[in-house]
Amino acid sequence: MRIVFTGGSGKAGKHAIPYLLSQGHQVLNLDLVPLDNPDVYTLKTDLTDSGQVFNAFTSHFNMSEYSLPHPPPIPDAVVHFAAYARNLLVPDSEMFASNVKQTYNVIEAACKLGIKKVIIASSETVYGVCFTQGESDYHSFPLEEDTYDCDPEDSYATSKLCGERIARSFERRYRGKTEIYAFRIGNVIEPHEYAINFPKYLIDPPSRKRNAWSYIDARDLGKLCHCAFQTNGLGFQVFNATNNTITLREKTKDFLARECPNVKITRELEDYEAPLTNVKARKLLKFEEEHNWRDYVKDQ
Ligand SMILES: NC(=O)c1ccc[n+]([C@@H]2O[C@H](COP(=O)([O-])OP(=O)(O)OC[C@H]3O[C@@H](n4cnc5c(N)ncnc54)[C@H](O)[C@@H]3O)[C@@H](O)[C@H]2O)c1
């Protein structure tokens, strides 16, 4: 498939894109900065500018496409990962305006151009604990996409929740023509980070509460995008984008009962299920993880 990938030069994109290339997809990266990958062209595009977004979505993917007999077709799918990826990179008001505008511009252009599949990066933060002020508890476990009342109090998470609503309203108008899946991405882990980060997670479980003791391998995030390209007929959906298991050696039910005794558990949990559960993605997108942290972290 021809995939336009926004924000591909960032932490997640630089690992997700090679996975997509390995599956035979062609990728054009839209970003403000280049991606260090000789197989992918970066078109410098400011996604807060709607004109640039429409134009970039109808662009050649690289110089070699000038040798085609006709201009290339519109992309088959868009993956929108570009954003200010947290608070405190720029003032909150600037982050919020930029994130919401980028997501609006991307979704509007994709729908109006007839691009069939759009994936947008939402965030674990919408569950309201990640960037909370002081201590706060989740309402219930597991964190599930379609039943949890997302009530974040910070501007970044709110910008991501707005993105989900933009996606939902455009999908309604363009139903049957464009499908939009929002990925509530968990804490992204790059391959080199297992050895550095996970030993700390294991000895200090409270430090991972804000990430709901869950993570997503950046390469598996690419696989999740691929699974979403292969799946059709779901309209607008929200998926937690995480790996299967909790970032601890203890069973999930036992750990949560001890660490969060006042938070209700709403269903039977798999033994080591990630509290930010990916069961919906496993079921509807047929996602099977390839990078379980246990394969990379030695016993203490
Ligand atoms: N990293 C995480 O743990 C995590 C967790 C949850 C959600 N997310 C979301 O996943 C996505 C990818 O995260 P990441 O960690 O790779 O972020 P990142 O900051 O590493 O990369 C974001 C990319 O977006 C680009 N960008 C920003 N503004 C732009 C604009 N106006 N026009 C074009 N490009 C622009 C940046 O240049 C950068 O390359 C983001 O939407 C982020 O909010 C990330």
Side-chain angles (χ1 to χ4, degrees):
M1 289 170 70
R2 288 172 66 79
I3 313 295
V4 168
F5 199 116
T6 80
S9 310
K11 178 176 184 173
K14 68 181 180 222
H15 299 285
I17 286 177
Y19 182 87
L20 297 178
L21 297 177
S22 78
Q23 298 306 302
H25 300 298
Q26 292 171 268
V27 177
L28 171 66
N29 178 36
L30 308 184
D31 203 307
L32 297 171
V33 296
L35 169 62
D36 187 15
N37 181 333
D39 297 325
V40 179
Y41 195 86
T42 299
L43 188 64
K44 186 177 166 190
T45 309
D46 184 347
L47 298 161
T48 62
D49 178 340
S50 172
Q52 291 193 42
V53 176
F54 269 93
N55 199 293
F57 283 5
T58 58
S59 169
H60 293 70
F61 270 29
N62 50 56
M63 300 298 277
S64 72
E65 288 196 337
Y66 287 108
S67 59
L68 298 171
H70 304 287
I74 56 159
D76 299 298
V78 172
V79 179
H80 173 50
F81 275 19
Y84 286 116
R86 59 174 170 83
N87 295 308
L88 294 181
L89 294 169
V90 292
D92 284 353
S93 53
E94 174 59 23
M95 176 274 302
F96 183 84
S98 177
N99 284 0
V100 174
K101 199 163 184 210
Q102 288 185 55
T103 303
Y104 180 89
N105 289 344
V106 164
I107 292 174
E108 181 185 48
C111 289
K112 290 187 173 171
L113 290 170
I115 296 172
K116 292 191 169 69
K117 179 71 53 72
V118 180
I119 295 166
I120 62 165
S122 183
S123 166
E124 61 185 342
T125 58
V126 302
Y127 289 103
V129 169
C130 191
F131 292 133
T132 197
Q133 190 73 50
E135 266 301 306
S136 109
D137 273 329
Y138 294 98
H139 308 322
S140 60
F141 290 116
L143 308 178
E144 290 185 314
E145 299 88 334
D146 298 322
T147 49
Y148 195 96
D149 176 26
C150 292
D151 62 346
E153 60 176 48
D154 72 287
S155 305
Y156 168 76
T158 306
S159 80
K160 292 294 182 181
L161 217 40
C162 289
E164 292 184 10
R165 291 313 292 248
I166 293 165
R168 182 173 156 184
S169 69
F170 269 97
E171 189 279 334
R172 181 176 164 202
R173 175 153 296 185
Y174 288 87
R175 188 148 301 160
K177 301 207 170 358
T178 300
E179 299 198 15
I180 312 180
Y181 303 165
F183 284 176
R184 288 183 184 159
I185 298 173
N187 185 212
V188 175
I189 300 293
E190 295 182 79
H192 72 277
E193 291 183 310
Y194 286 103
I196 303 166
N197 295 348
F198 273 71
K200 290 183 271 182
Y201 301 165
L202 294 176
I203 57 173
D204 184 15
S207 70
R208 295 295 290 169
K209 180 177 185 182
R210 287 172 186 267
N211 304 97
W213 303 280
S214 305
Y215 75 105
I216 178 74
D217 179 282
R219 297 159 294 184
D220 276 341
L221 189 49
K223 184 172 187 184
L224 202 52
C225 294
H226 175 67
C227 292
F229 302 154
Q230 310 292 102
T231 309
N232 291 310
L234 301 180
F236 168 72
Q237 294 289 335
V238 177
F239 292 100
N240 291 336
T242 50
N243 281 75
N244 297 2
T245 61
I246 191 165
T247 55
L248 298 167
R249 301 242 180 242
E250 193 175 357
K251 287 189 177 163
T252 307
K253 190 175 161 197
D254 300 341
F255 171 73
L256 293 177
R258 195 164 40 72
E259 189 73 13
C260 310
N262 301 321
V263 180
K264 114 178 140 226
I265 309 281
T266 54
R267 66 159 163 79
E268 196 67 33
L269 295 162
E270 295 167 11
D271 278 356
Y272 296 99
E273 185 171 346
L276 181 53
T277 180
N278 68 358
V279 163
K280 183 178 176 186
R282 278 190 263 157
K283 211 189 264 177
L284 296 188
L285 301 180
K286 311 271 182 288
F287 171 66
E288 289 177 19
E289 70 171 11
E290 289 181 15
H291 301 286
N292 190 299
W293 67 268
R294 288 169 179 76
D295 297 335
Y296 301 100
V297 183
K298 293 192 180 66
D299 272 329
Q300 302 291 300

